[in-house]
Amino acid sequence: MQGLIGFLPQEFGTYENMTSWEFLDYQAILKGITDTATRRERLEYVLKSVHMYEKRDHRIGSFSGGMKQRIGIALILLNLPRILIVDEPTAGLDPRERIRFRNLLVKLSRERIVIFSTHIIEDISSSCNQVVVVNRGELKYFGDSVDMVRMATGKVWLFSVNKEEFETKLDKSMVIHHRQDEETIQVRYLSYGKPWDEAVEVEANLEDTYLCLLKNMN
């Protein structure tokens, strides 16, 4: 099984003073790739796969967070696994690096299975064609992301209230998010029925559905 699976944890160690080539070469030897020609061919393949071949002679300590994550992916590709498991890979990355990394995972998924564990809903909606929601060990959903969104249809509402009404008349556990606009507060809210006289039903998204599942509103 170890030969089939590559795992990238949320945090992994590197040798910051090594170049990316030196680091991967050393790791390849530890993984049993001892033939020099095979190792050179494998390093070229994994670095090109993560778009880091041109940085092969640069020290890892000079890389951005997203570039280090790509080196992590290159590391787990050394044994050519059929399944990649990545844990919170975009945590701490700026929006541009996050988009690049998501695109990389989508590209890698063309030739293998990629299991992407994350709490960042945007990453799921833009990258994954199958979604699994687990809450405290219980499977809440497994299926297509589009079908998942449909589960929240008719349960998401938008309306405005004043500060006093927000504090005293709303169930805070059903508030998806809120934003203050001068003297009023605009609220996005979960409810089976119309929760407020001026409430307007709005199109649900993946985040809305995720909260519905956690609150057993499916």
Side-chain angles (χ1 to χ4, degrees), residues 64-70 88-102 120 123:
S64 66
M67 293 166 72
K68 288 180 180 179
Q69 288 289 64
R70 280 186 264 167
E88 300 284 357
T90 62
L93 301 186
D94 64 43
R96 184 170 56 181
E97 289 278 22
R98 180 176 293 142
I99 291 169
R100 287 174 179 166
F101 198 80
R102 285 200 310 249
I120 301 173
D123 288 348

Side-chain angles (χ1 to χ4, degrees), residues 53-119:
Y53 186 71
E54 293 181 357
K55 300 287 185 181
R56 63 189 181 279
D57 296 324
H58 293 229
R59 295 185 186 277
I60 294 175
S62 68
F63 292 165
S64 66
M67 293 166 72
K68 288 180 180 179
Q69 288 289 64
R70 280 186 264 167
I71 292 300
I73 291 290
L75 173 59
I76 65 175
L77 286 175
L78 284 171
N79 277 338
L80 305 178
R82 301 302 303 160
I83 301 172
L84 298 184
I85 303 174
V86 290
D87 180 28
E88 300 284 357
T90 62
L93 301 186
D94 64 43
R96 184 170 56 181
E97 289 278 22
R98 180 176 293 142
I99 291 169
R100 287 174 179 166
F101 198 80
R102 285 200 310 249
N103 290 339
L104 171 61
L105 290 179
V106 171
K107 176 187 174 185
L108 293 174
S109 71
R110 296 171 190 165
E111 299 178 354
R112 56 188 59 83
I113 296 170
V114 177
I115 299 175
F116 186 177
S117 172
T118 183
H119 290 88

Side-chain angles (χ1 to χ4, degrees), residues 44 95 146 150 171:
E44 287 184 7
V146 176
R150 294 193 186 106
D171 180 355

Side-chain angles (χ1 to χ4, degrees), residues 2 11 27 33 35 45 47 76 174 178 183 196 217:
Q2 286 182 338
E11 296 182 7
Q27 293 293 332
I33 308 172
D35 180 73
Y45 167 73
L47 283 169
I76 65 175
M174 306 305 285
H178 63 282
E183 296 302 315
W196 204 257
M217 292 180 66

Side-chain angles (χ1 to χ4, degrees), residues 24 41-51 74 77-78:
L24 292 171
E41 181 181 335
R42 193 70 55 83
L43 262 63
E44 287 184 7
Y45 167 73
V46 299
L47 283 169
K48 288 178 179 177
S49 295
V50 299
H51 310 297
L77 286 175
L78 284 171

Side-chain angles (χ1 to χ4, degrees), residues 145-157 176 188-193 201-206 208-210 212-213 217-218:
S145 60
V146 176
D147 291 336
M148 179 176 162
V149 170
R150 294 193 186 106
M151 298 172 68
T153 299
K155 302 171 187 173
V156 186
W157 304 83
I176 301 171
R188 190 177 181 93
Y189 200 82
L190 284 177
S191 177
Y192 284 113
E201 183 183 334
V202 293
E203 184 177 354
N205 58 37
L206 206 60
D208 301 327
T209 311
Y210 175 74
C212 280
L213 288 168
M217 292 180 66
N218 50 300

